[in-house]
Amino acid sequence: AIRCEPWFGSQYIEEDIPSSLIESWRNPVEIDGNFHLPRKNEYIPGDFSLRNASIPKSSNDDNPRCIVDEPFIKLWHKMDITFNVPRANAYFLISVKDGCSSLRNSVLTDLFANLLKDELNEVLYQAYVAKLETSLSVVGSNLELKLYGYNDKLAILLSHILAASQSFSPKIDRFEVIKEDLERAYRNTNMKPMSHSTYLRLQFLRQIFWDVNEKLKVLATLTFSDLAAFVPELLSQLHIEGLCHGNLSGDEAINISKIFQNTLSGQTLSVEARHGERVLCIPHGANFIRSVRVKNDLEENSVVEVYFPVEQDIGKDSTRLRAITDLFSNIIEEPCFDQL
């Protein structure tokens, strides 16, 4: 008889499972290979020893040290002598060839990064379970790769990520899914007035800044073959600059640089071809106003964002100026809040 559960009114039937079916489950003729126990998680840490045991705690050298400076990779290192935990942070800025030299390339780079993350999903999840997290994003014309967590298996995870990016070949079914996801992300950009105001300010200040609405139009025209042809070109020339901080020795950091050199086959990207995030200098006394309607017509809130550029000093004076600016900001924050 058809029964009805009381909460949502869903109909269901109860019936006994035939003993013959239970017996076939108990002694199957064939087991589908897709049903298997998860693979061993190779990112579970086993070494929790501290690398700073031989370093005097009175050491006051607080600056990272450049330990690798080669045309292909530049790596900075700072061992932690403060927190004494078996964790590390490894940040890498990977400059690629022509990643945002055009509107079309910018969209293709976004597609590539999202497809690569999709390809690595299972690996990154296993590492995440073992408290070793990863972030991969597009910053200007560069790929930004971050690994942070227990240091023991960090180099192994980095090897797997770089090997996957080197052998990566997009699949058409995943391309369609990721393209749809990216289209949705572009459409949803600037729906909140606060983020919209910041977006408009950066669009005004940055030398290269491709508009998200224009990116949406280009995305609609891109095909799977466009991306397949773009990826080898994107990775053909590279330059890496990185920082290793935490429970990693200098030798371990140097070995991390060798992983890049031994895994990636791209040539060295010339200094001239590397994309620097340039910000326009607003003339003294200039007063620019951008007034744009909110993207969502149902949005009741408005935002005003006021930006005051502070003239940049050179060398150590710039650090002092930044400290004074931060101090000033902290002093006026409370009275400004009270006034508002």
Side-chain angles (χ1 to χ4, degrees):
I2 296 176
R3 305 179 67 176
C4 191
E5 56 86 19
W7 295 280
F8 298 101
S10 299
Q11 295 181 331
Y12 67 97
I13 297 174
E14 284 185 0
E15 58 183 26
D16 293 332
I17 299 173
S19 56
S20 59
L21 183 56
I22 292 177
E23 188 58 34
S24 70
W25 289 346
R26 189 173 285 126
N27 298 295
V29 177
E30 182 184 358
I31 297 178
D32 191 317
N34 290 317
F35 290 102
H36 60 82
L37 290 171
R39 288 191 295 272
K40 179 183 176 182
N41 190 336
E42 56 187 311
Y43 306 112
I44 297 173
D47 179 6
F48 300 99
S49 62
L50 297 179
R51 308 297 193 261
N52 64 14
S54 60
I55 296 179
K57 296 296 181 276
S58 59
S59 174
N60 60 358
D61 182 13
D62 203 36
N63 297 316
R65 186 169 57 93
C66 183
I67 58 173
V68 177
D69 192 357
E70 298 178 10
F72 187 71
I73 182 169
K74 186 173 186 177
L75 188 65
W76 301 79
H77 170 254
K78 184 183 185 309
M79 189 184 295
D80 168 51
I81 58 171
T82 304
F83 298 103
N84 298 319
V85 290
R87 300 173 67 87
N89 310 293
Y91 301 154
F92 305 101
L93 196 66
I94 305 171
S95 299
V96 291
K97 184 183 177 186
D98 295 332
C100 76
S101 59
S102 68
L103 178 60
R104 183 176 184 273
N105 282 13
S106 176
V107 178
L108 284 166
T109 303
D110 286 343
L111 271 173
F112 163 73
N114 289 358
L115 272 161
L116 181 58
K117 282 189 284 187
D118 182 67
E119 178 86 3
L120 288 164
N121 190 42
E122 188 175 338
V123 168
L124 300 186
Y125 176 74
Q126 278 201 314
Y128 170 79
V129 169
K131 302 301 180 188
L132 184 53
E133 298 185 52
T134 307
S135 165
L136 177 65
S137 54
V138 178
V139 179
S141 183
N142 308 307
L143 299 175
E144 185 179 79
L145 174 63
K146 298 180 180 181
L147 291 83
Y148 44 97
Y150 287 115
N151 59 274
D152 185 27
K153 303 297 173 67
L154 188 147
I156 295 174
L157 176 60
L158 177 63
S159 294
H160 289 171
I161 291 172
L162 296 182
S165 68
Q166 188 63 40
S167 61
F168 174 67
S169 179
K171 299 175 180 65
I172 191 164
D173 57 334
R174 298 311 299 165
F175 169 81
E176 296 298 340
V177 172
I178 297 303
K179 181 181 177 181
E180 185 178 331
D181 284 347
L182 186 59
E183 179 186 351
R184 192 177 301 113
Y186 284 164
R187 289 190 188 282
N188 289 335
T189 299
N190 297 333
M191 280 297 181
K192 295 181 179 179
M194 183 70 79
S195 60
H196 193 183
S197 65
T198 301
Y199 175 92
L200 292 169
R201 170 172 58 82
L202 292 175
Q203 190 177 42
F204 178 83
L205 290 172
R206 285 183 182 168
Q207 190 175 39
I208 297 178
F209 193 99
W210 303 114
D211 184 76
V212 70
N213 294 323
E214 296 297 320
K215 291 172 84 169
L216 186 60
K217 293 176 186 175
V218 169
L219 179 64
T221 68
L222 295 176
T223 64
F224 176 73
S225 58
D226 290 331
L227 181 73
F230 174 75
V231 172
E233 185 66 21
L234 180 76
L235 302 179
S236 64
Q237 295 181 26
L238 304 166
H239 177 265
I240 296 96
E241 183 160 10
L243 166 67
C244 291
H245 167 261
N247 194 40
L248 290 168
S249 68
D251 287 342
E252 287 173 318
I254 289 172
N255 285 335
I256 282 175
S257 75
K258 290 177 179 175
I259 293 173
F260 279 94
Q261 292 168 316
N262 296 336
T263 308
L264 301 179
S265 62
Q267 300 298 306
T268 299
L269 185 67
S270 66
V271 176
E272 298 77 24
R274 295 172 202 168
H275 171 67
E277 193 63 79
R278 298 188 181 276
V279 176
L280 302 180
C281 182
I282 299 174
H284 183 69
N287 185 20
F288 298 103
I289 298 175
R290 290 202 69 187
S291 180
V292 178
R293 278 189 56 81
V294 291
K295 193 169 181 178
N296 179 7
D297 291 334
L298 300 177
E299 177 62 65
E300 296 178 348
N301 296 299
S302 300
V303 171
V304 174
E305 181 162 331
V306 185
Y307 176 76
F308 299 101
V310 178
E311 188 173 350
Q312 181 68 55
D313 280 335
I314 305 298
K316 290 185 177 179
D317 285 340
S318 65
T319 306
R320 183 175 182 276
L321 177 63
R322 178 60 188 263
I324 292 172
T325 308
D326 286 344
L327 178 61
F328 175 69
S329 172
N330 275 280
I331 290 171
I332 67 168
E333 184 176 14
E334 184 67 28
C336 280
F337 178 83
D338 293 344
Q339 179 65 38
L340 289 169

